[in-house]
Short mmCIF file of all heavy atoms in Angstrom, two decimals:
data_model
loop_
_atom_site.label_atom_id
_atom_site.label_comp_id
_atom_site.label_asym_id
_atom_site.label_seq_id
_atom_site.Cartn_x
_atom_site.Cartn_y
_atom_site.Cartn_z
N MET A 1 -142.04 51.83 159.14
CA MET A 1 -141.85 53.40 159.23
C MET A 1 -142.45 53.92 160.56
O MET A 1 -143.73 53.72 160.72
CB MET A 1 -142.31 54.12 158.11
CG MET A 1 -141.76 55.39 157.71
SD MET A 1 -142.16 56.13 156.21
CE MET A 1 -141.20 55.24 155.08
N PRO A 2 -141.77 54.67 161.41
CA PRO A 2 -142.36 55.10 162.65
C PRO A 2 -143.34 56.21 162.44
O PRO A 2 -143.16 57.08 161.58
CB PRO A 2 -141.09 55.56 163.35
CG PRO A 2 -140.09 55.86 162.41
CD PRO A 2 -140.34 55.01 161.22
N ILE A 3 -144.26 56.23 163.37
CA ILE A 3 -145.19 57.37 163.34
C ILE A 3 -145.01 58.11 164.62
O ILE A 3 -144.90 57.54 165.69
CB ILE A 3 -146.68 56.86 163.28
CG1 ILE A 3 -147.00 56.25 161.90
CG2 ILE A 3 -147.72 58.08 163.49
CD1 ILE A 3 -148.35 55.75 161.82
N TYR A 4 -144.70 59.46 164.51
CA TYR A 4 -144.45 60.23 165.72
C TYR A 4 -145.74 61.05 165.86
O TYR A 4 -146.39 61.62 164.99
CB TYR A 4 -143.26 61.16 165.50
CG TYR A 4 -142.01 60.37 165.40
CD1 TYR A 4 -141.31 60.30 164.19
CD2 TYR A 4 -141.51 59.74 166.50
CE1 TYR A 4 -140.12 59.43 164.14
CE2 TYR A 4 -140.39 59.02 166.54
CZ TYR A 4 -139.59 58.83 165.34
OH TYR A 4 -138.48 58.14 165.22
N GLU A 5 -145.96 61.30 167.16
CA GLU A 5 -147.09 62.07 167.45
C GLU A 5 -146.76 63.50 168.21
O GLU A 5 -145.82 63.50 169.00
CB GLU A 5 -148.06 61.36 168.54
CG GLU A 5 -149.42 61.95 168.65
CD GLU A 5 -150.42 61.03 169.48
OE1 GLU A 5 -150.00 59.83 169.67
OE2 GLU A 5 -151.30 61.50 169.94
N TYR A 6 -147.22 64.47 167.69
CA TYR A 6 -146.82 65.82 168.19
C TYR A 6 -148.00 66.55 168.89
O TYR A 6 -149.09 66.40 168.45
CB TYR A 6 -146.22 66.64 167.09
CG TYR A 6 -144.97 66.11 166.59
CD1 TYR A 6 -144.85 65.18 165.58
CD2 TYR A 6 -143.75 66.62 167.11
CE1 TYR A 6 -143.74 64.74 164.88
CE2 TYR A 6 -142.54 66.10 166.54
CZ TYR A 6 -142.52 65.18 165.55
OH TYR A 6 -141.29 64.81 165.13
N GLU A 7 -147.69 67.49 169.73
CA GLU A 7 -148.66 68.35 170.17
C GLU A 7 -148.19 69.80 169.96
O GLU A 7 -147.03 70.27 170.45
CB GLU A 7 -148.85 68.13 171.66
CG GLU A 7 -150.04 69.11 172.30
CD GLU A 7 -150.34 68.89 173.67
OE1 GLU A 7 -150.93 67.97 174.18
OE2 GLU A 7 -149.71 69.48 174.51
N CYS A 8 -149.03 70.51 169.45
CA CYS A 8 -148.61 72.00 169.08
C CYS A 8 -148.54 72.79 170.32
O CYS A 8 -149.38 72.76 171.29
CB CYS A 8 -149.67 72.56 168.16
SG CYS A 8 -149.35 74.35 167.73
N ARG A 9 -147.49 73.67 170.52
CA ARG A 9 -147.35 74.41 171.70
C ARG A 9 -148.37 75.58 171.64
O ARG A 9 -148.63 76.25 172.73
CB ARG A 9 -145.94 75.07 171.65
CG ARG A 9 -144.74 73.92 171.77
CD ARG A 9 -143.50 74.57 171.66
NE ARG A 9 -142.43 73.41 171.50
CZ ARG A 9 -141.82 72.83 172.63
NH1 ARG A 9 -142.22 73.12 173.73
NH2 ARG A 9 -141.02 71.91 172.33
N GLU A 10 -148.76 75.96 170.47
CA GLU A 10 -149.61 77.19 170.45
C GLU A 10 -151.05 76.83 170.53
O GLU A 10 -151.79 77.40 171.40
CB GLU A 10 -149.44 77.84 169.06
CG GLU A 10 -147.99 78.32 168.68
CD GLU A 10 -147.58 79.33 169.70
OE1 GLU A 10 -148.44 80.21 170.22
OE2 GLU A 10 -146.38 79.32 170.14
N CYS A 11 -151.63 75.94 169.84
CA CYS A 11 -153.02 75.63 169.75
C CYS A 11 -153.38 74.37 170.30
O CYS A 11 -154.53 73.93 170.35
CB CYS A 11 -153.52 75.82 168.40
SG CYS A 11 -153.01 74.43 167.27
N LYS A 12 -152.41 73.55 170.92
CA LYS A 12 -152.60 72.29 171.48
C LYS A 12 -153.13 71.17 170.61
O LYS A 12 -153.65 70.16 171.06
CB LYS A 12 -153.51 72.29 172.72
CG LYS A 12 -153.03 73.49 173.73
CD LYS A 12 -151.71 73.13 174.24
CE LYS A 12 -151.28 74.25 175.22
NZ LYS A 12 -149.91 74.13 175.64
N GLU A 13 -153.08 71.54 169.35
CA GLU A 13 -153.53 70.38 168.29
C GLU A 13 -152.57 69.30 168.30
O GLU A 13 -151.35 69.48 168.42
CB GLU A 13 -153.45 71.07 166.84
CG GLU A 13 -153.71 70.10 165.82
CD GLU A 13 -155.31 69.88 165.61
OE1 GLU A 13 -156.02 70.33 166.44
OE2 GLU A 13 -155.59 69.17 164.68
N ARG A 14 -153.14 68.14 168.39
CA ARG A 14 -152.39 66.90 168.33
C ARG A 14 -152.37 66.30 166.86
O ARG A 14 -153.39 66.19 166.31
CB ARG A 14 -152.89 65.93 169.34
CG ARG A 14 -152.55 66.27 170.78
CD ARG A 14 -152.77 65.07 171.65
NE ARG A 14 -152.35 65.46 172.98
CZ ARG A 14 -152.19 64.60 173.88
NH1 ARG A 14 -152.51 63.30 173.72
NH2 ARG A 14 -151.83 64.94 175.19
N PHE A 15 -151.23 65.95 166.30
CA PHE A 15 -151.32 65.42 165.03
C PHE A 15 -150.14 64.30 164.97
O PHE A 15 -149.21 64.31 165.76
CB PHE A 15 -151.12 66.44 164.09
CG PHE A 15 -149.91 67.30 164.24
CD1 PHE A 15 -148.69 67.06 163.50
CD2 PHE A 15 -149.88 68.31 165.08
CE1 PHE A 15 -147.56 67.87 163.71
CE2 PHE A 15 -148.91 69.20 165.28
CZ PHE A 15 -147.79 68.91 164.56
N SER A 16 -150.23 63.51 164.04
CA SER A 16 -149.26 62.38 163.91
C SER A 16 -148.47 62.74 162.51
O SER A 16 -149.10 63.08 161.54
CB SER A 16 -149.88 61.00 163.78
OG SER A 16 -150.72 60.69 164.84
N VAL A 17 -147.23 62.30 162.63
CA VAL A 17 -146.40 62.40 161.39
C VAL A 17 -145.70 61.11 161.18
O VAL A 17 -145.11 60.70 162.00
CB VAL A 17 -145.48 63.54 161.66
CG1 VAL A 17 -144.43 63.68 160.46
CG2 VAL A 17 -146.16 64.92 161.86
N LEU A 18 -145.80 60.80 159.83
CA LEU A 18 -145.12 59.50 159.37
C LEU A 18 -143.81 59.94 158.98
O LEU A 18 -143.64 60.68 157.97
CB LEU A 18 -145.80 58.86 158.22
CG LEU A 18 -145.47 57.46 157.78
CD1 LEU A 18 -145.67 56.48 158.89
CD2 LEU A 18 -146.26 57.16 156.55
N GLN A 19 -142.66 59.43 159.57
CA GLN A 19 -141.48 59.95 159.34
C GLN A 19 -140.48 58.85 158.99
O GLN A 19 -140.46 57.80 159.46
CB GLN A 19 -140.74 60.63 160.59
CG GLN A 19 -141.14 62.08 160.56
CD GLN A 19 -140.46 62.76 161.77
OE1 GLN A 19 -140.16 62.05 162.74
NE2 GLN A 19 -140.46 64.09 161.78
N GLY A 20 -139.70 59.12 157.85
CA GLY A 20 -138.66 58.04 157.55
C GLY A 20 -137.51 58.27 158.46
O GLY A 20 -137.32 59.27 159.13
N MET A 21 -136.54 57.37 158.33
CA MET A 21 -135.32 57.33 159.21
C MET A 21 -134.53 58.56 158.99
O MET A 21 -133.90 59.04 159.77
CB MET A 21 -134.53 56.07 159.03
CG MET A 21 -135.25 54.85 159.34
SD MET A 21 -135.60 54.59 160.93
CE MET A 21 -133.98 53.91 161.51
N SER A 22 -134.48 59.04 157.75
CA SER A 22 -133.53 60.07 157.30
C SER A 22 -134.20 61.48 157.57
O SER A 22 -133.50 62.47 157.47
CB SER A 22 -133.04 59.92 155.93
OG SER A 22 -134.24 59.97 155.05
N GLU A 23 -135.44 61.64 157.81
CA GLU A 23 -136.07 62.95 157.88
C GLU A 23 -135.82 63.52 159.28
O GLU A 23 -135.88 62.80 160.28
CB GLU A 23 -137.57 62.69 157.66
CG GLU A 23 -137.73 62.57 156.17
CD GLU A 23 -139.27 62.69 155.84
OE1 GLU A 23 -139.92 63.60 155.91
OE2 GLU A 23 -139.89 61.57 155.53
N ASP A 24 -135.74 64.77 159.34
CA ASP A 24 -135.48 65.49 160.41
C ASP A 24 -136.81 65.94 161.16
O ASP A 24 -137.50 66.64 160.64
CB ASP A 24 -134.62 66.78 160.11
CG ASP A 24 -134.07 67.47 161.49
OD1 ASP A 24 -134.62 67.03 162.52
OD2 ASP A 24 -133.49 68.39 161.27
N GLY A 25 -137.00 65.36 162.32
CA GLY A 25 -138.26 65.75 162.96
C GLY A 25 -138.28 67.19 163.43
O GLY A 25 -139.48 67.59 163.86
N GLU A 26 -137.29 67.92 163.38
CA GLU A 26 -137.40 69.26 163.84
C GLU A 26 -137.99 70.17 162.90
O GLU A 26 -138.31 71.37 163.09
CB GLU A 26 -135.98 69.67 164.19
CG GLU A 26 -135.23 69.00 165.26
CD GLU A 26 -136.14 68.75 166.50
OE1 GLU A 26 -136.67 69.64 167.11
OE2 GLU A 26 -136.16 67.61 166.88
N GLN A 27 -138.28 69.70 161.58
CA GLN A 27 -138.85 70.44 160.54
C GLN A 27 -140.24 70.37 160.68
O GLN A 27 -141.11 71.02 159.78
CB GLN A 27 -138.38 69.89 159.23
CG GLN A 27 -136.80 70.06 159.07
CD GLN A 27 -136.33 71.35 159.23
OE1 GLN A 27 -136.96 72.37 158.71
NE2 GLN A 27 -135.15 71.51 159.84
N VAL A 28 -140.84 69.66 161.58
CA VAL A 28 -142.37 69.58 161.63
C VAL A 28 -142.98 70.74 162.11
O VAL A 28 -142.46 71.45 163.02
CB VAL A 28 -142.64 68.32 162.58
CG1 VAL A 28 -144.19 68.13 162.86
CG2 VAL A 28 -142.17 67.00 162.10
N SER A 29 -144.20 71.06 161.37
CA SER A 29 -144.89 72.30 162.02
C SER A 29 -146.28 71.84 162.06
O SER A 29 -146.87 70.96 161.47
CB SER A 29 -144.75 73.45 160.92
OG SER A 29 -145.21 73.05 159.63
N CYS A 30 -147.10 72.60 162.74
CA CYS A 30 -148.57 72.32 163.08
C CYS A 30 -149.38 72.46 161.85
O CYS A 30 -149.18 73.47 161.23
CB CYS A 30 -149.04 73.25 164.32
SG CYS A 30 -150.80 73.04 164.52
N PRO A 31 -150.19 71.46 161.55
CA PRO A 31 -150.96 71.62 160.26
C PRO A 31 -152.23 72.52 160.52
O PRO A 31 -152.81 72.94 159.56
CB PRO A 31 -151.47 70.19 160.05
CG PRO A 31 -151.46 69.50 161.52
CD PRO A 31 -150.26 70.18 162.19
N LYS A 32 -152.45 73.00 161.72
CA LYS A 32 -153.62 73.81 162.02
C LYS A 32 -153.17 75.29 162.03
O LYS A 32 -153.83 76.09 161.24
CB LYS A 32 -154.19 73.40 163.28
CG LYS A 32 -155.49 74.03 163.59
CD LYS A 32 -156.25 73.40 164.98
CE LYS A 32 -157.53 74.08 165.21
NZ LYS A 32 -157.97 73.54 166.45
N CYS A 33 -152.15 75.63 162.76
CA CYS A 33 -151.80 77.02 162.94
C CYS A 33 -150.50 77.39 162.29
O CYS A 33 -149.99 78.45 162.16
CB CYS A 33 -151.88 77.29 164.30
SG CYS A 33 -150.50 76.76 165.24
N GLY A 34 -149.66 76.22 161.99
CA GLY A 34 -148.39 76.44 161.39
C GLY A 34 -147.27 76.80 162.30
O GLY A 34 -146.10 76.93 161.88
N ALA A 35 -147.40 76.65 163.63
CA ALA A 35 -146.38 76.93 164.56
C ALA A 35 -145.33 75.68 164.39
O ALA A 35 -145.67 74.50 164.17
CB ALA A 35 -147.03 76.90 165.89
N LYS A 36 -144.05 76.06 164.53
CA LYS A 36 -143.03 75.17 164.41
C LYS A 36 -142.60 74.61 165.81
O LYS A 36 -142.98 75.12 166.83
CB LYS A 36 -141.91 75.70 163.67
CG LYS A 36 -142.20 76.18 162.20
CD LYS A 36 -141.06 76.81 161.58
CE LYS A 36 -141.41 76.98 160.04
NZ LYS A 36 -140.52 77.90 159.35
N SER A 37 -141.77 73.55 165.70
CA SER A 37 -141.19 72.89 166.84
C SER A 37 -142.29 72.46 167.81
O SER A 37 -142.29 72.85 168.92
CB SER A 37 -140.27 73.84 167.52
OG SER A 37 -139.25 74.16 166.70
N PRO A 38 -143.26 71.63 167.34
CA PRO A 38 -144.18 71.15 168.17
C PRO A 38 -143.60 70.17 169.25
O PRO A 38 -142.40 69.66 169.04
CB PRO A 38 -145.21 70.28 167.32
CG PRO A 38 -144.41 69.89 166.09
CD PRO A 38 -143.46 71.11 166.06
N LYS A 39 -144.21 69.99 170.28
CA LYS A 39 -143.70 69.06 171.36
C LYS A 39 -143.99 67.58 170.80
O LYS A 39 -145.07 67.25 170.64
CB LYS A 39 -144.43 69.33 172.82
CG LYS A 39 -143.94 68.36 173.76
CD LYS A 39 -144.43 68.98 175.13
CE LYS A 39 -145.94 68.97 175.22
NZ LYS A 39 -146.37 69.49 176.51
N ARG A 40 -142.85 66.82 170.90
CA ARG A 40 -143.07 65.39 170.48
C ARG A 40 -143.65 64.53 171.73
O ARG A 40 -143.00 64.61 172.83
CB ARG A 40 -141.83 64.73 170.03
CG ARG A 40 -141.96 63.45 169.45
CD ARG A 40 -140.71 62.72 169.23
NE ARG A 40 -139.98 63.19 168.00
CZ ARG A 40 -138.94 62.57 167.59
NH1 ARG A 40 -138.34 61.54 168.25
NH2 ARG A 40 -138.35 62.99 166.48
N LEU A 41 -144.68 63.84 171.40
CA LEU A 41 -145.13 62.86 172.38
C LEU A 41 -144.71 61.51 172.19
O LEU A 41 -144.26 61.17 171.08
CB LEU A 41 -146.70 63.03 172.29
CG LEU A 41 -147.41 64.30 172.32
CD1 LEU A 41 -148.92 64.06 172.19
CD2 LEU A 41 -147.15 65.01 173.67
N LEU A 42 -144.74 60.71 173.19
CA LEU A 42 -144.48 59.32 173.02
C LEU A 42 -145.54 58.61 172.14
O LEU A 42 -146.69 58.78 172.42
CB LEU A 42 -144.27 58.50 174.32
CG LEU A 42 -143.11 58.98 175.19
CD1 LEU A 42 -143.20 58.27 176.52
CD2 LEU A 42 -141.91 58.59 174.41
N SER A 43 -145.17 57.95 171.19
CA SER A 43 -146.18 57.24 170.22
C SER A 43 -146.48 55.97 170.89
O SER A 43 -145.68 55.11 171.18
CB SER A 43 -145.64 57.03 168.89
OG SER A 43 -144.48 56.28 168.82
N MET A 44 -147.83 55.81 171.35
CA MET A 44 -148.18 54.53 171.89
C MET A 44 -149.21 53.80 171.02
O MET A 44 -150.31 54.27 171.03
CB MET A 44 -148.72 54.71 173.43
CG MET A 44 -147.57 55.12 174.36
SD MET A 44 -148.12 55.49 175.97
CE MET A 44 -148.83 57.21 175.76
N PHE A 45 -148.77 52.76 170.46
CA PHE A 45 -149.63 52.16 169.57
C PHE A 45 -150.84 51.50 170.15
O PHE A 45 -150.69 50.77 171.06
CB PHE A 45 -148.88 51.03 168.71
CG PHE A 45 -147.85 51.75 167.76
CD1 PHE A 45 -146.66 52.19 168.05
CD2 PHE A 45 -148.25 51.83 166.38
CE1 PHE A 45 -145.80 52.78 167.19
CE2 PHE A 45 -147.41 52.42 165.54
CZ PHE A 45 -146.06 52.90 165.86
N GLY A 46 -152.03 51.81 169.76
CA GLY A 46 -153.18 51.29 170.15
C GLY A 46 -153.59 51.70 171.56
O GLY A 46 -154.51 51.16 172.27
N SER A 47 -153.01 52.73 172.09
CA SER A 47 -153.31 53.27 173.33
C SER A 47 -154.67 54.07 173.49
O SER A 47 -155.27 54.13 174.48
CB SER A 47 -152.18 54.11 173.96
OG SER A 47 -152.01 55.19 173.13
N HIS A 48 -155.00 54.61 172.29
CA HIS A 48 -156.28 55.30 172.40
C HIS A 48 -157.03 55.12 170.97
O HIS A 48 -156.39 54.93 169.97
CB HIS A 48 -155.99 56.80 172.49
CG HIS A 48 -154.96 57.48 171.64
ND1 HIS A 48 -153.68 57.68 172.15
CD2 HIS A 48 -154.97 57.72 170.36
CE1 HIS A 48 -153.01 58.21 171.11
NE2 HIS A 48 -153.84 58.28 169.98
N GLY A 49 -158.27 55.37 171.03
CA GLY A 49 -159.08 55.20 169.79
C GLY A 49 -159.21 53.70 169.42
O GLY A 49 -159.78 53.45 168.38
N GLY A 50 -158.87 52.76 170.16
CA GLY A 50 -158.95 51.42 169.75
C GLY A 50 -159.87 50.68 170.81
O GLY A 50 -159.86 51.11 171.91
N ALA A 51 -160.45 49.63 170.25
CA ALA A 51 -161.36 48.82 171.04
C ALA A 51 -160.85 47.32 171.06
O ALA A 51 -161.64 46.49 170.90
CB ALA A 51 -162.85 48.90 170.73
N SER A 52 -159.58 47.33 171.13
CA SER A 52 -159.11 45.82 170.88
C SER A 52 -158.97 45.02 172.17
O SER A 52 -158.63 43.82 172.19
CB SER A 52 -157.78 46.02 170.38
OG SER A 52 -156.82 46.74 171.19
N SER A 53 -159.34 45.65 173.28
CA SER A 53 -159.12 44.86 174.51
C SER A 53 -160.41 44.09 175.05
O SER A 53 -160.33 43.40 176.03
CB SER A 53 -158.81 45.72 175.70
OG SER A 53 -159.60 46.73 175.76
N LEU A 54 -161.52 44.35 174.30
CA LEU A 54 -162.79 43.70 174.82
C LEU A 54 -163.15 42.48 174.00
O LEU A 54 -164.03 42.46 172.97
CB LEU A 54 -163.81 44.81 174.88
CG LEU A 54 -163.66 45.88 175.88
CD1 LEU A 54 -164.82 46.90 175.64
CD2 LEU A 54 -163.75 45.45 177.24
N GLY A 55 -162.68 41.35 174.44
CA GLY A 55 -163.13 40.08 173.78
C GLY A 55 -163.02 39.90 172.27
O GLY A 55 -163.89 39.18 171.77
N ALA A 56 -161.95 40.64 171.77
CA ALA A 56 -161.81 40.37 170.32
C ALA A 56 -160.88 39.27 170.00
O ALA A 56 -160.79 39.04 168.75
CB ALA A 56 -161.27 41.75 169.70
N SER A 57 -160.42 38.70 170.91
CA SER A 57 -159.42 37.57 170.81
C SER A 57 -160.08 36.34 170.07
O SER A 57 -159.34 35.55 169.46
CB SER A 57 -158.72 37.19 171.95
OG SER A 57 -159.68 36.77 172.93
N CYS A 58 -161.41 36.21 170.17
CA CYS A 58 -161.97 34.99 169.65
C CYS A 58 -162.48 35.12 168.16
O CYS A 58 -163.03 34.16 167.73
CB CYS A 58 -163.14 34.51 170.52
SG CYS A 58 -162.66 33.96 172.16
N SER A 59 -162.32 36.23 167.77
CA SER A 59 -162.90 36.50 166.33
C SER A 59 -161.99 35.96 165.31
O SER A 59 -160.68 36.37 165.35
CB SER A 59 -163.08 38.08 166.16
OG SER A 59 -163.86 38.49 167.18
N PRO A 60 -162.42 35.00 164.57
CA PRO A 60 -161.47 34.41 163.46
C PRO A 60 -161.19 35.56 162.32
O PRO A 60 -162.05 36.19 162.02
CB PRO A 60 -162.21 33.24 163.00
CG PRO A 60 -163.69 33.58 163.31
CD PRO A 60 -163.65 34.35 164.42
N GLY A 61 -159.87 35.43 161.95
CA GLY A 61 -159.71 36.44 160.78
C GLY A 61 -159.54 37.80 161.41
O GLY A 61 -159.63 38.77 160.29
N ALA A 62 -159.55 38.17 162.51
CA ALA A 62 -159.56 39.53 162.81
C ALA A 62 -158.19 40.25 162.50
O ALA A 62 -158.32 41.53 162.35
CB ALA A 62 -159.73 39.69 164.36
N PHE A 63 -157.15 39.55 162.31
CA PHE A 63 -155.94 40.18 162.07
C PHE A 63 -155.39 40.16 160.60
O PHE A 63 -154.38 40.51 160.27
CB PHE A 63 -154.83 39.48 162.93
CG PHE A 63 -154.87 40.08 164.32
CD1 PHE A 63 -155.68 39.39 165.23
CD2 PHE A 63 -154.23 41.29 164.75
CE1 PHE A 63 -155.85 39.73 166.60
CE2 PHE A 63 -154.40 41.66 166.14
CZ PHE A 63 -155.14 41.00 167.10
N THR A 64 -156.35 39.81 159.75
CA THR A 64 -156.04 39.62 158.35
C THR A 64 -157.11 40.48 157.53
O THR A 64 -156.93 41.51 157.29
CB THR A 64 -156.16 38.16 157.79
OG1 THR A 64 -157.37 37.74 158.06
CG2 THR A 64 -155.04 37.42 158.41
ZN1 ZN B 1 -151.02 74.61 166.17
#
């Protein structure tokens, strides 16, 4: 199931929404201020908040 990332046009809050295939993304509203039609960002998995690039490849069982 894809996760979409949005940025609120009003308060610049960023949030992620887990969306099913059939759900309409236009119904999303900001969880902080309630503004509708936030700007959809490209979801980039592991692009931020992760520390996966620093020598973690040698750790056994890291992916289970
Ligand atoms: Zn907002």
Side-chain angles (χ1 to χ4, degrees):
M1 200 173 287
I3 296 178
Y4 295 108
E5 196 169 344
Y6 292 89
E7 182 182 275
C8 177
R9 299 175 191 274
E10 299 297 326
C11 69
K12 307 302 181 187
E13 173 79 356
R14 288 192 177 192
F15 54 97
S16 303
V17 176
L18 189 68
Q19 269 179 350
M21 298 290 283
S22 60
E23 286 186 72
D24 187 358
E26 304 308 312
Q27 302 299 321
V28 176
S29 60
C30 174
K32 190 174 180 180
C33 74
K36 291 179 179 170
S37 302
K39 182 167 59 180
R40 185 193 281 188
L41 307 175
L42 291 176
S43 63
M44 288 180 281
F45 288 82
S47 62
H48 52 255
S52 58
S53 60
L54 292 177
S57 58
C58 289
S59 305
F63 283 91
T64 56

